[in-house]
Amino acid sequence: MNTLNPNAAAYAGKVRLRVCGICLQDEKLLLVRHQPTLHNTAFWAPPGGGLQYGETVEACLVREMLEETGLQTKVKRFLFVNEFLEEPLQAVELFFELEVTGGELMTGMDPEAGADQQLIEEVAFLSLNEIRQIPLADKHRILHYLFSLDDLFGLPHHFMQK
């Protein structure tokens, strides 16, 4: 897909501050599969979403995790920042380590979008081998060249270098 998915149009033409969670369980990483966004057939990424005015980063991440995955979580520590810019989308993403404290894994939704405009299609814990099978265009940049899932806990901050 070479054009922006209409369901992602609300995020176009503006800078978004996103808060994202790195959550490991049993040697598997929690990921969300979205509909195609731009130049891909799907988009796998750690759960997370946009910071709202008046909301703390921690509250945002706990809310987004519950909305997208059904899991209750505790934010443990800041890990790294990633900057994304591919017209018409731009985001600065803060990644944090998370611990699951309750809830039940489910495919959640974005309450700001209507039922016919949902981007989330699947939520799953994937192993490193399963992540490696996903084409590069269909997964978040932080997942491209992992040697180990532990790499996510020591990634360098990434600013606009491709």
Side-chain angles (χ1 to χ4, degrees), residues 60-75:
C60 173
L61 187 50
V62 168
R63 174 183 55 77
E64 287 287 346
M65 289 297 296
L66 189 59
E67 289 172 359
E68 292 188 4
T69 71
L71 297 175
Q72 296 165 337
T73 54
K74 178 173 99 174
V75 178

Side-chain angles (χ1 to χ4, degrees), residues 4-14 16 89 110 112-113 117:
L4 184 67
N5 182 329
N7 290 342
Y11 308 120
K14 56 185 160 190
R16 292 186 71 219
L89 302 175
D110 181 354
E112 290 95 37
Q117 297 175 316

Side-chain angles (χ1 to χ4, degrees), residues 38-53:
L38 192 63
H39 310 298
N40 54 23
T41 59
F43 185 64
W44 286 92
L51 184 68
Q52 297 174 355
Y53 179 78

Side-chain angles (χ1 to χ4, degrees), residues 14-18 82-85 89-93:
K14 56 185 160 190
V15 178
R16 292 186 71 219
L17 178 59
R18 297 187 72 248
N82 179 69
E83 186 174 34
F84 175 83
L85 177 57
L89 302 175
Q90 182 173 9
V92 175
E93 300 171 311

Side-chain angles (χ1 to χ4, degrees), residues 23 48 53 71 92 124 139 153 155:
C23 183
Y53 179 78
L71 297 175
V92 175
K139 61 187 168 186
F153 296 93
L155 278 178

Side-chain angles (χ1 to χ4, degrees), residues 12-160:
K14 56 185 160 190
V15 178
R16 292 186 71 219
L17 178 59
R18 297 187 72 248
V19 186
C20 308
I22 299 294
C23 183
L24 291 182
Q25 272 191 350
D26 302 321
E27 304 291 316
K28 293 184 175 191
L29 177 64
L30 181 60
L31 293 174
V32 176
R33 180 172 55 88
H34 300 84
Q35 290 179 356
T37 50
L38 192 63
H39 310 298
N40 54 23
T41 59
F43 185 64
W44 286 92
L51 184 68
Q52 297 174 355
Y53 179 78
E55 184 176 44
T56 67
V57 168
E58 183 176 2
C60 173
L61 187 50
V62 168
R63 174 183 55 77
E64 287 287 346
M65 289 297 296
L66 189 59
E67 289 172 359
E68 292 188 4
T69 71
L71 297 175
Q72 296 165 337
T73 54
K74 178 173 99 174
V75 178
K76 293 182 75 175
R77 65 184 167 125
F78 174 74
L79 294 173
F80 57 91
V81 64
N82 179 69
E83 186 174 34
F84 175 83
L85 177 57
E86 187 172 338
E87 290 291 334
L89 302 175
Q90 182 173 9
V92 175
E93 300 171 311
L94 307 175
F95 283 84
F96 292 83
E97 180 182 3
L98 291 177
E99 177 183 319
V100 174
T101 59
E104 190 171 320
L105 188 65
M106 61 167 222
T107 300
M109 59 175 285
D110 181 354
E112 290 95 37
D116 59 341
Q117 297 175 316
Q118 293 295 316
L119 287 169
I120 298 172
E121 295 187 323
E122 181 183 356
V123 176
F125 279 94
L126 299 183
S127 69
L128 181 60
N129 283 337
E130 290 169 319
I131 294 168
R132 287 179 175 155
Q133 301 306 311
I134 301 168
L136 288 182
D138 292 354
K139 61 187 168 186
H140 195 287
R141 173 173 43 205
I142 68 165
L143 305 173
H144 283 194
Y145 302 109
L146 297 175
F147 291 105
S148 158
L149 291 177
D150 289 338
D151 293 349
L152 293 168
F153 296 93
L155 278 178
H157 300 306
H158 190 88
F159 293 99
M160 290 315 303

